[in-house]
Amino acid sequence: MNASLKKQLTEPLWLRVVLITLTFLFLAALVGLPIVIVIIEAFSKGWGAYRDALTQPDVISALKLTLLVAAIAVPLNVVFGLAASWAIAKFEFRGKQLLITLIDLPFSVSPVISGLVYILLFGAHSMMGDWLIRHDIQIIFAVPGLVLATIFVTFPFVARELIPLMQEQGVEQEEAAVLLGANGWQTFRRVTLPNIKWGLLYGVLLCNARAMGEFGAVSVVSGHIKGETTTIPLYVEILYNEYNFVAAFAVASLLLLLGFVTLAAKKIVSRQERGQHGH
Amino acid sequence: MKSSSTVLPGFRLTLAFTILYLLVIVLIPLAGLFVRSATLSADEFIAAVSAPRVMASYRVTFLAAFAAALINAVFGFLIAWVLVRYKFAGKKLCDTLIDLPFALPTAVAGIAMAALYAPDGWIGKYLAMMGLQIAFNPYGIVVVLAFVSLPFVVRTLQPVLQDLDKDIEEAALGLGATRAQTFWRVLLPHVAPAWITGVTMALARALGEYGSVIFIAGNLPMVSEIVPVIIVSKLEQYDYAGATAVALVMLLASFALLLLVNVLQGWSARRMRA
């Protein structure tokens, strides 16, 4: 291709500079400044105030609760994601497209509604409310409700990472393993899992970030009892509404860190994935 | 049900588990919403979903989500274009930052934006000098919704722009088209389905958002109260039937958008193959 034609295939220099500058300005204002202000506000009263804010007993218990909820919700959705992607990617059956759409459904439901549906099922005025009260089982305004709402909002993450990946890989390798005498579990562990590990890891990370950071759905079912049903994001709201801004931003900085770790892990995973596919 | 003749095991087990889990976690709870709404008479239902304060919240929610989707339609396209086509310092950082709204909990975004745009905040201060106020009114809602829905347009457009064959542009040039003509007549129609899909996804995400909005909106009835806030305040007053009715309206609107996204994606996929 000659040089003048090549030149005509891109924009003139001034236009490129303008477009790149706009990109920088837009991202700096919309994404960069919020990051910076969280850090600055968190440390605005110094390192001591930051440390004090993070070592309050209520923060520690909120942190433990957040970890507990994620530790239940994420593994369940991983098992589901693996089962769903195995059935959908390795076999042909009627209604497959509908099933994929239904798996994505929680993404298009407002988080507030994701919490509301469990109140309607298990709350004091609900269909099962009387029975639950008689048997002294509390789901809403307690940990089980937080876990259910979190499972709902993070439901599709692992499945939707794995389904396209496993569809792309086909069934030949697994079929060969089975024909050579491997059983189902061996086939999955030795053949499928090594092929999908990076996609799986990425799905788990996204699922975990949302599980630990979810606000709307858990807010509706939480009851906001300090030290008992308050997760880290809910605790940020409580501190903020009490005008305790330094503490609110200090606790928020933990969640910012979670976001950074997720983004960094995504970078590593996508690099590994490219390496695995050999381009 | 099974039509292929694969030798792989585990179909019944995994499909049964998938469907059971889907039913228990998602479908039965959502069905409960429909069942609960059915306990209201038609008049009660209509009264609940068309009260003036509720009507105002539909308007605020939809207009703010639409404005945010439009902002992302323009800047999302621009960013995707710049990231795919140009080489420059800081490109990787920009590309990474795009995903932050997916990774950052919404409450953090909410308090950060509220702090930035409050009348004495870094940005709010200068806007106040110009007589503009963003925080505690619908403009604030637009800003946070633009943030939470930022990745959708960029991430749907990027692969399509990446795969775009340079041959088409060369051919257009060879046939005497100017660069601007090539862009409007050749490139834009080609990426339009993916673009519209991304914008619709951004709109769907923005419509349901709650966590980030409540901090900056001020949540003033009739002015800056979004639908999810209405649902929560009805729940706090133990008006479960009212909350359910409004939630149902919102859920149906989301499903309509989901359907639209599916249709658009089908269109986009056909376009890509053509």
Side-chain angles (χ1 to χ4, degrees):
Chain A
M1 195 195 308
N2 66 51
S4 86
L5 189 60
K6 204 165 192 170
K7 212 168 163 187
Q8 286 176 59
L9 277 173
T10 186
E11 284 67 54
L13 182 65
W14 68 268
L15 187 57
R16 273 180 285 168
V17 170
V18 167
L19 295 178
I20 292 170
T21 310
L22 275 175
T23 296
F24 270 112
L25 287 177
F26 185 77
L27 287 178
L30 201 63
V31 186
L33 279 181
I35 297 173
V36 174
I37 199 160
V38 169
I39 298 167
I40 289 190
E41 292 282 331
F43 289 100
S44 60
K45 295 269 159 63
W47 171 253
Y50 179 79
R51 200 188 45 208
D52 287 348
L54 291 187
T55 47
Q56 295 294 316
D58 284 343
V59 176
I60 306 287
S61 60
L63 194 60
K64 281 184 186 159
L65 180 62
T66 302
L67 293 173
L68 172 71
V69 169
I72 302 170
V74 175
L76 282 172
N77 281 338
V78 169
V79 172
F80 163 72
L82 288 170
S85 54
W86 181 266
I88 287 170
K90 306 292 179 193
F91 301 91
E92 290 305 322
F93 55 93
R94 259 186 300 149
K96 188 194 264 192
Q97 204 50 51
L98 176 68
L99 185 61
I100 295 175
T101 306
L102 288 176
I103 288 173
D104 268 347
L105 208 54
F107 276 159
S108 49
V109 175
S110 172
V112 168
I113 298 178
S114 313
L116 170 68
V117 291
Y118 291 110
I119 293 186
L120 296 181
L121 269 189
F122 303 119
H125 306 271
S126 70
M127 311 161 195
M128 292 172 67
D130 286 338
W131 188 88
L132 290 170
I133 289 168
R134 270 204 308 279
H135 291 80
D136 204 24
I137 301 170
Q138 194 166 10
I139 293 182
I140 299 307
F141 306 144
V143 176
L146 297 173
V147 172
L148 280 170
T150 304
I151 293 178
F152 186 105
V153 294
T154 59
F155 187 87
F157 280 103
V158 179
R160 77 153 21 184
E161 277 309 312
L162 290 185
I163 291 169
L165 187 63
M166 280 169 70
Q167 274 176 332
E168 203 180 304
Q169 287 168 353
V171 293
E172 280 159 26
Q173 290 187 31
E174 280 88 355
E175 282 182 344
V178 169
L179 292 175
L180 289 170
N183 65 32
W185 176 243
Q186 287 171 325
T187 308
F188 172 75
R189 211 169 55 96
R190 301 266 179 82
V191 179
T192 311
L193 207 53
N195 280 335
I196 60 168
K197 62 181 179 210
W198 296 113
L200 177 64
L201 184 60
Y202 183 44
V204 170
L205 287 168
L206 283 179
C207 184
N208 180 64
R210 182 73 193 267
M212 291 189 173
E214 175 55 22
F215 182 84
V218 290
S219 167
V220 170
V221 296
S222 140
H224 304 277
I225 308 160
K226 260 194 197 177
E228 280 181 45
T229 61
T230 308
T231 60
I232 287 285
L234 297 178
Y235 200 63
V236 170
E237 185 199 18
I238 292 178
L239 290 168
Y240 191 84
N241 288 342
E242 287 170 349
Y243 300 100
N244 193 349
F245 295 127
V246 173
F249 281 99
V251 177
S253 73
L254 294 179
L255 294 172
L256 181 65
L257 191 65
L258 170 72
F260 285 156
V261 170
T262 307
L263 288 185
K266 189 208 159 176
K267 278 258 145 199
I268 296 167
V269 165
S270 61
R271 199 172 302 147
Q272 292 290 348
E273 220 173 13
R274 272 200 302 276
Q276 199 172 32
H277 292 308
H279 48 81
Chain B
M1 199 161 179
K2 198 162 83 174
S3 65
S4 80
S5 53
T6 173
V7 295
L8 295 184
F11 176 65
R12 276 165 193 279
L13 178 71
T14 52
L15 187 67
F17 178 74
T18 301
I19 292 173
L20 183 72
Y21 193 75
L22 182 68
L23 276 172
V24 170
I25 298 292
V26 179
L27 297 182
I28 293 174
L30 281 179
L33 197 68
F34 287 85
V35 173
R36 191 58 176 259
S37 315
T39 61
L40 286 171
S41 75
D43 288 345
E44 285 170 328
F45 184 86
I46 290 168
V49 301
S50 63
R53 194 171 150 189
V54 180
M55 293 299 274
S57 78
Y58 297 144
R59 205 172 143 262
V60 170
T61 308
F62 187 78
L63 286 180
F66 198 70
L70 278 183
I71 290 174
N72 279 324
V74 175
F75 282 94
F77 191 103
L78 188 144
I79 293 169
W81 180 268
V82 166
L83 288 179
V84 170
R85 289 292 173 110
Y86 306 150
K87 285 198 182 79
F88 56 94
K91 180 168 157 163
K92 281 203 168 139
L93 178 69
C94 288
D95 195 54
T96 306
L97 280 181
I98 301 291
D99 280 326
L100 189 80
F102 280 158
L104 187 72
T106 53
V108 180
I111 63 168
M113 290 295 191
L116 286 173
Y117 286 93
D120 58 348
W122 291 357
I123 300 179
K125 203 161 47 184
Y126 297 103
L127 294 173
M129 281 179 204
M130 294 186 280
L132 287 171
Q133 194 185 335
I134 296 280
F136 316 123
N137 68 37
Y139 298 110
I141 306 179
V142 176
V143 172
V144 288
L145 292 185
F147 173 84
V148 296
S149 61
L150 167 72
F152 289 98
V153 180
V154 182
R155 291 297 181 230
T156 1
L157 268 178
Q158 255 177 329
V160 177
L161 284 173
Q162 205 106 52
D163 288 348
L164 203 63
D165 217 334
K166 277 255 174 190
D167 292 353
I168 310 176
E169 287 163 69
E170 281 170 32
L173 270 178
L175 292 169
T178 65
R179 184 71 187 152
Q181 282 173 328
T182 309
F183 180 81
W184 288 107
R185 302 265 183 86
V186 181
L187 287 178
L188 207 55
H190 200 84
V191 301
W195 190 21
I196 298 169
T197 305
V199 174
T200 316
M201 285 160 81
L203 179 66
R205 173 75 172 84
L207 276 181
E209 176 57 18
Y210 173 75
S212 54
V213 175
I214 55 170
F215 296 101
I216 198 171
N219 310 316
L220 306 168
M222 310 298 291
V223 179
S224 61
E225 200 177 37
I226 56 166
V227 184
V229 170
I230 293 265
I231 296 173
V232 170
S233 74
K234 280 184 185 293
L235 278 177
E236 280 166 358
Q237 295 154 19
Y238 302 104
D239 178 9
Y240 289 93
T244 307
V246 175
L248 187 67
V249 170
M250 205 178 163
L251 193 66
L252 292 176
S254 312
F255 286 173
L257 267 181
L258 180 69
L259 195 69
L260 186 63
V261 170
N262 273 332
V263 171
L264 287 170
Q265 273 171 339
W267 179 39
S268 181
R270 280 197 302 281
R271 237 340 143 75
M272 290 292 285
R273 279 198 300 271

